[in-house]
Amino acid sequence: MRLCTKVEKVEQCGDWFRVRTDSLEIRIFFLTDFIVRIRAGFDGNFEEESYSLVMTAWEDRLDGLFGKERRRVHPAPASLADGKEKAVIRGNALCVEVEKDPFRICVYDAGRTRLHADIADIGYMEDCNRRRIHTSEISPDDCFYGFGEKGGELDKRRKLVSMNPRDALGYDPKETDPLYKHIPFYIKLNRSTRKAVGYFYHNTYACDFDLGRERSNYWKPHSRYRADGGDIDLFLIAGPSVREVVERYTDLTGKSALLPKYALGYLGSSMYYPELAQDCDDAITGFVDTAKEEEIPTDGFQLSSGYTSQETPDGPKRYVFTWNRKKFKDPKDFFTRMHARGITVSPNVKPAFLLSHPYLEKLKQEDVFVKDSREDRPGVGAWWGGKGVFWDFTNPRARALWKELLGRHVLGMGTCSVWNDNCEYDGMVDQDCRCDFEGKGGTIGQLKSVMPNLMCRATRQAIEEESGTERPFVVCRSGYSGIQRYAQTWAGDNLTCWESLKYNIATILGMSLSGVANQGCDVCGFYGPAPEAELMVRWVQNGIFQPRFSVHSVNTDNTVTELWMYGEKYTKYIRDAIRFRYRLFPYLYSLMERAHESGLPILEPMCSAFQQDPACYDDGVDFMVGDSLLVANVVEKGTQTRKVYLPKGADFYDFWSREKYEGGKTIELPVTLQSIPLMIRSGGIVPLALNQMDNLATQTVTGIRLICAPDRDGSFVLYEDDGLTTEYRDGNYRKTRIAVRAGERTLLEFHRSGPYKTSVERVLLDVIHREKAPYRVLLSGRELPHFLYRNKFDKADEGWYYSQTLKSVQVKYRNPGADYRVVVSFEPFDMLGM
């Protein structure tokens, strides 16, 4: 074992600081004013070779690989004051104190709130199994969020959380751990100080986190990070807000990709169709046509791997990069037919080859597989259908050949979307199998967590090389820190049950706080018997708010989960919910772009959105969509009323009835099967499509209905581009900043930037004001006509009407195109002239 018990020397070495202990060297960097890097060099060489960082202040061996994806910054200034008992390293916003004997490191913010403290004697250690351990002091008031993709409650205090990605088919939504992702990042939020700090352990080895589950009489309450190898390489990220921590973490690991607009549509799927013995192509186009007949808006089909299933003497086998021509007679024609229907097909691609694969012997000669730990041959592991060998994406030659094969056998058929699956490398039991690691050499135990990121990166590059300006749409089940840069993800093969509906929400919210905005869970469940009718309706009503909205299944009772399977009695509620999602498109697409720019979540937990109200810290079911919509889905069977806690510091309006509620209270709402409990936050702004779209790929928003609650100031940026190409990278987009100023003269200002020509022709303002109707409404200084009769208002080209039902001012006009302002005047008016 190795223990760090006392400090021998602290010194400044240019832009960083060296702490020499009695066991090993620790280096401290002020990467920015709010990010401190503390690296304990157990391996002694401090090599920089990161697959996840996009912002550094040092030279990295992989800089050439990432090129413009990565930016170099100058370290933030800091100064050292060395004393007998402690050394103080002071930056602009943070202060690091190195206590010498016993040794520990503490970090304080500018207000002297202690954000982090090691546990003396056991702060940095290597155990007898050579696992590297970091132990930190915690408080009973600390909550722990993030950790990527995890089941159970949102707050992980007193839990043991592990990261070693698995192919977790049918996992228990509350208890199974680990799942499919490896994101060693979490946020600690203290109930007393209401301050947040982020912990990113920059290490790719399997690891676990003990968040106060373990107790000892000899040390203060503590959390523990334990990794199978590598350094303790901690990026401590100060807030004080949760949002600031997430933004800064994604400064480090990258912002979420701006996906094509159809990625926000309904993505149909089922294992059933590609597993048919023949004519799967016709069955899938038939599915799409049925969805249209049922008036279910649809944009995509996630094509399971059955298209690669080939008949062999040992039964059907899945051979990646092949097509079964009985199932898909002419793949190019199939993609053409789907494209004509406005449907993007995402074929399933897997990173391993069965030992019976027809291409295997030729590929072995290319030296592209993870190698056996001892012999000069591919390492063999468990795979779908038998033993297999695994592609080595840390090998530049392997990545190049993968792109070539992907282009020839998948993209060349007519798609710019790929679904990367089963990329956890879970079947490789021998963790000493060897990887190329960009020529240096490494083990699969060290590098399996980064394989899905590199696979998705190569996939995006292949799509761009094949299709030019077409915007890539990559889907991936696994991923390491930074996966958000390349792919939309989902939480794998969930179990079909009410518990999954409930606890999958916390799984999604944890991913949101882990920098991954474009994600979701299989709606209606993937594995198990068919969902009962009530569960199906409730799951869709929840799923319409997830950034990824896909229904995919392999049912164990020989059924197929389809949205119309229970007839019109239930389909009408499902249809209404999905049509509402499509009307939400302007809001969701703008939030996707916000995530691309800032890293902020699309779905945000209440603890983050309302950080100043500790009553929200335990909520893992209700959530915010953007800043304006509070969603309180019904997630329990037979529910007739739904209790909703409304956070302090804001008022809320029922989205449907416009009833007003005061924050800081719990309300109880009556619900029916039709109900989607939804609240608009005071100051909220929600743009909806006026025209009902049923396909985002081929249709555009021609009118905007802008709902706002102007009892306090608010703002929103409406984002528009073509939604299909990469032209936005060259500046071809449009941002409309909408600012609302509350008061008797409620002011709405619209400021445009960017050259993209909007498709929006008409605007309908829906201004909630329960107290009274306005006196007049002005559009850029011009008074609009007032209508008392709704039918005349509906037929008019422009004007305003006060809805007594909604207690809302309805203002309609043609989109002016340029900057403009609308004044809704509630000023007193003496009609009698008294």
Side-chain angles (χ1 to χ4, degrees):
M1 292 182 65
R2 283 195 284 175
L3 299 170
C4 301
T5 61
K6 63 182 179 179
V7 173
E8 297 175 348
K9 186 177 183 181
V10 181
E11 59 186 336
Q12 185 165 355
C13 303
D15 294 328
W16 55 278
F17 302 86
R18 177 185 287 122
V19 179
R20 296 188 187 275
T21 74
D22 53 350
S23 178
L24 52 83
E25 178 181 321
I26 295 174
R27 296 182 179 181
I28 299 173
F29 302 77
F30 280 67
L31 178 58
T32 72
D33 286 337
F34 297 94
I35 303 176
V36 172
R37 184 186 190 188
I38 302 171
R39 184 172 182 182
F42 287 93
D43 291 329
N45 50 29
F46 290 95
E47 290 183 329
E48 303 287 1
E49 42 195 16
S50 175
Y51 282 115
S52 59
L53 298 179
V54 296
M55 179 176 71
T56 64
W58 45 81
E59 186 175 341
D60 187 291
R61 187 171 69 89
L62 306 187
D63 283 344
L65 171 63
F66 289 101
K68 294 182 179 179
E69 276 187 69
R70 178 174 286 169
R71 65 188 177 99
R72 183 81 62 85
V73 300
H74 194 274
S79 59
L80 170 64
D82 195 10
K84 183 178 180 182
E85 295 184 353
K86 67 181 179 181
V88 178
I89 307 171
R90 193 176 304 278
N92 291 328
L94 299 175
C95 178
V96 176
E97 295 188 357
V98 182
E99 299 176 8
K100 295 187 174 181
D101 191 4
F103 164 60
R104 71 169 183 166
I105 293 174
C106 300
V107 181
Y108 299 84
D109 67 12
R112 291 299 293 172
T113 299
R114 193 172 71 187
L115 304 180
H116 166 80
D118 296 334
I119 295 289
D121 295 331
I122 59 173
Y124 304 86
M125 60 183 291
E126 180 182 76
D127 69 10
C128 55
N129 293 314
R130 301 200 64 190
R131 294 176 297 187
R132 281 71 192 267
I133 298 169
H134 182 219
T135 309
S136 309
E137 186 176 331
I138 62 174
S139 157
D141 287 337
D142 287 334
C143 303
F144 302 90
Y145 308 108
F147 303 97
E149 180 185 86
K150 293 297 167 187
E153 304 289 348
L154 182 63
D155 179 10
K156 304 304 183 191
R157 56 185 164 171
R158 295 190 294 276
K159 301 294 183 183
L160 180 65
V161 173
S162 60
M163 292 186 190
N164 188 13
R166 299 299 189 195
D167 189 336
L169 174 66
Y171 59 88
D172 184 307
K174 190 175 180 181
E175 302 296 342
T176 301
D177 186 62
L179 296 179
Y180 303 87
K181 311 292 192 300
H182 184 127
I183 302 179
F185 167 75
Y186 69 87
I187 297 170
K188 182 177 72 176
L189 174 61
N190 186 272
R191 291 177 182 272
S192 299
T193 66
R194 301 178 190 178
K195 291 183 178 182
V197 60
Y199 287 70
F200 173 43
Y201 286 94
H202 180 229
N203 184 315
T204 57
Y205 283 89
C207 63
D208 58 39
F209 296 83
D210 184 321
L211 288 316
R213 185 183 182 95
E214 180 181 282
R215 294 185 65 85
S216 171
N217 187 47
Y218 299 101
W219 289 281
K220 292 181 179 180
H222 55 272
S223 63
R224 183 201 68 219
Y225 164 76
R226 179 173 61 189
D228 283 356
D231 286 344
I232 299 298
D233 191 5
L234 170 63
F235 287 79
L236 194 75
I237 307 169
S241 74
V242 172
R243 282 186 160 199
E244 288 170 311
V245 172
V246 173
E247 286 185 278
R248 290 163 184 159
Y249 168 71
T250 53
D251 286 341
L252 276 175
T253 62
K255 310 299 182 181
S256 288
L258 184 59
L259 303 177
K261 60 182 182 178
Y262 56 76
L264 289 171
Y266 161 51
L267 308 175
S269 188
S270 172
M271 289 283 289
Y272 170 79
Y273 291 103
E275 297 303 324
L276 295 172
Q278 61 185 34
D279 298 331
C280 302
D281 45 6
D282 297 331
I284 293 170
T285 54
F287 165 85
V288 173
D289 293 342
T290 301
K292 187 174 182 64
E293 289 176 22
E294 292 287 341
E295 298 181 313
I296 303 290
T298 310
D299 266 273
F301 191 86
Q302 309 280 279
L303 180 61
S304 295
S305 59
Y307 75 95
T308 69
S309 182
Q310 307 292 343
E311 291 299 327
T312 75
D314 297 322
K317 300 291 183 182
R318 295 169 198 271
Y319 296 145
V320 64
F321 295 139
T322 70
W323 286 85
N324 183 316
R325 295 302 176 122
K326 286 180 64 179
K327 295 169 177 275
F328 292 84
K329 299 175 285 295
D330 182 344
K332 287 186 177 181
D333 177 68
F334 166 69
F335 281 98
T336 299
R337 286 190 284 152
M338 293 291 276
H339 182 74
R341 290 165 167 80
I343 304 300
T344 296
V345 178
S346 306
N348 183 290
V349 178
K350 305 181 190 299
F353 288 67
L354 287 168
L355 297 184
S356 58
H357 196 293
Y359 303 164
L360 183 60
E361 292 308 313
K362 183 177 181 181
L363 290 173
K364 284 181 180 179
Q365 299 174 16
E366 301 290 342
D367 196 23
V368 293
F369 296 110
V370 176
K371 293 183 177 180
D372 184 81
S373 58
R374 293 178 295 276
E375 300 179 23
D376 189 22
R377 59 177 177 81
V380 176
W383 188 235
W384 195 342
K387 297 292 185 180
V389 293
F390 296 76
W391 207 265
D392 182 5
F393 287 98
T394 70
N395 182 338
R397 185 170 58 256
R399 291 194 296 267
L401 183 55
W402 186 266
K403 290 195 293 182
E404 180 184 327
L405 292 170
L406 191 66
R408 185 189 315 157
H409 298 289
V410 179
L411 304 177
M413 299 300 172
T415 187
C416 57
S417 180
V418 173
W419 165 15
N420 289 332
D421 200 8
N422 299 88
C423 38
E424 299 80 21
Y425 287 62
D426 186 18
M428 298 209 75
V429 177
D430 184 353
Q431 295 293 286
D432 291 329
C433 283
R434 295 168 292 151
C435 303
D436 182 78
F437 195 16
E438 314 303 326
K440 178 185 175 181
T443 67
I444 194 64
Q446 173 190 4
L447 296 163
K448 79 168 190 172
S449 61
V450 303
M451 290 294 182
N453 289 35
L454 293 172
M455 183 181 183
C456 289
R457 183 175 184 270
T459 302
R460 283 182 65 88
Q461 290 176 336
I463 292 170
E464 292 181 345
E465 292 167 10
E466 182 80 17
S467 61
T469 61
E470 289 277 350
R471 198 179 303 183
F473 178 31
V474 181
V475 180
C476 189
R477 189 172 74 176
S478 188
Y480 179 66
S481 298
I483 187 61
Q484 66 270 10
R485 306 200 301 265
Y486 307 122
Q488 179 191 80
T489 75
W490 90 106
D493 301 336
N494 56 349
L495 193 64
T496 304
C497 60
W498 282 95
E499 289 76 15
S500 288
L501 167 58
K502 179 180 178 179
Y503 287 106
N504 280 177
I505 297 173
T507 300
I508 293 167
L509 297 177
M511 283 288 280
S512 292
L513 292 185
S514 302
V516 185
N518 295 316
Q519 40 93 24
C521 293
D522 279 345
V523 175
C524 301
F526 176 77
Y527 183 78
E532 61 179 291
E534 183 187 358
L535 175 58
M536 181 174 231
V537 171
R538 293 305 190 198
W539 216 324
V540 170
Q541 290 170 340
N542 167 257
I544 61 169
F545 298 106
Q546 298 179 22
R548 172 180 167 83
F549 175 49
S550 180
V551 177
H552 181 42
S553 67
V554 56
N555 295 348
T556 56
D557 58 0
N558 299 322
T559 61
V560 181
T561 300
E562 295 188 322
L563 297 175
W564 45 85
M565 65 191 293
Y566 288 109
E568 186 61 18
K569 179 180 177 181
Y570 298 97
T571 303
K572 62 184 178 182
Y573 300 128
I574 291 169
R575 181 188 302 114
D576 288 347
I578 298 175
R579 286 166 67 87
F580 178 60
R581 177 186 176 90
Y582 273 64
R583 291 199 300 277
L584 273 173
F585 169 75
Y587 188 56
L588 294 175
Y589 192 59
S590 297
L591 293 175
M592 184 199 287
E593 194 278 335
R594 185 186 74 168
H596 178 63
E597 289 289 329
S598 69
L600 289 175
I602 298 173
L603 264 60
E604 184 175 17
M606 304 299 283
C607 64
S608 173
F610 299 95
Q611 188 171 331
Q612 294 310 308
D613 185 355
C616 296
Y617 286 14
D618 294 324
D619 195 339
V621 175
D622 297 351
F623 56 89
M624 295 294 292
V625 181
D627 297 333
S628 300
L629 290 179
L630 190 163
V631 182
N633 286 121
V634 178
V635 297
E636 294 178 348
K637 184 176 180 177
T639 298
Q640 294 182 328
T641 62
R642 174 63 153 88
K643 290 184 178 180
V644 184
Y645 175 72
L646 301 176
K648 296 176 183 177
D651 292 328
F652 295 85
Y653 298 86
D654 187 292
F655 185 91
W656 313 106
S657 70
R658 305 300 170 81
E659 188 74 25
K660 185 176 181 178
Y661 299 96
E662 183 182 349
K665 297 181 178 179
T666 297
I667 61 173
E668 189 165 2
L669 302 172
V671 295
T672 67
L673 193 57
Q674 184 180 11
S675 301
I676 304 176
L678 185 62
M679 297 285 169
I680 302 174
R681 182 185 191 174
S682 55
I685 300 171
V686 183
L688 304 175
L690 267 176
N691 56 310
Q692 180 64 62
M693 298 178 289
D694 58 23
N695 184 262
L696 300 176
T698 59
Q699 297 167 1
T700 58
V701 177
T702 58
I704 289 286
R705 177 186 178 191
L706 193 75
I707 305 176
C708 54
D711 51 354
R712 64 174 59 189
D713 294 352
S715 64
F716 185 79
V717 177
L718 177 66
Y719 179 79
E720 300 171 85
D721 63 19
D722 64 26
L724 298 172
T725 74
T726 57
E727 290 184 10
Y728 71 92
R729 297 177 187 171
D730 300 320
N732 190 21
Y733 57 81
R734 186 182 189 93
K735 291 184 178 182
T736 304
R737 187 179 188 277
I738 305 165
V740 176
R741 191 184 309 161
E744 284 190 333
R745 284 173 56 86
T746 297
L747 176 64
L748 294 88
E749 293 185 298
F750 299 78
H751 178 72
R752 318 294 179 89
S753 62
Y756 180 74
K757 185 178 180 181
T758 182
S759 61
V760 176
E761 300 168 357
R762 304 199 60 81
V763 178
L764 173 66
L765 303 182
D766 187 347
V767 183
I768 301 171
H769 198 274
R770 297 193 59 83
E771 292 77 13
K772 63 179 180 179
Y775 163 53
R776 61 179 180 174
V777 176
L778 303 174
L779 173 61
S780 295
R782 178 172 59 86
E783 189 166 345
L784 293 178
H786 176 205
F787 294 89
L788 294 175
Y789 184 39
R790 179 78 203 204
N791 285 351
K792 288 186 177 181
F793 172 73
D794 290 341
K795 294 176 182 177
D797 191 55
E798 64 176 20
W800 67 274
Y801 169 83
Y802 185 73
S803 169
Q804 291 288 352
T805 305
L806 293 177
K807 300 297 183 183
S808 167
V809 187
Q810 313 276 299
V811 185
K812 62 191 294 189
Y813 50 87
R814 290 190 176 275
N815 188 358
D819 293 354
Y820 68 97
R821 58 169 47 191
V822 175
V823 175
V824 183
S825 175
F826 299 99
E827 296 165 289
F829 173 63
D830 185 0
M831 185 174 292
L832 296 178
M834 298 296 289

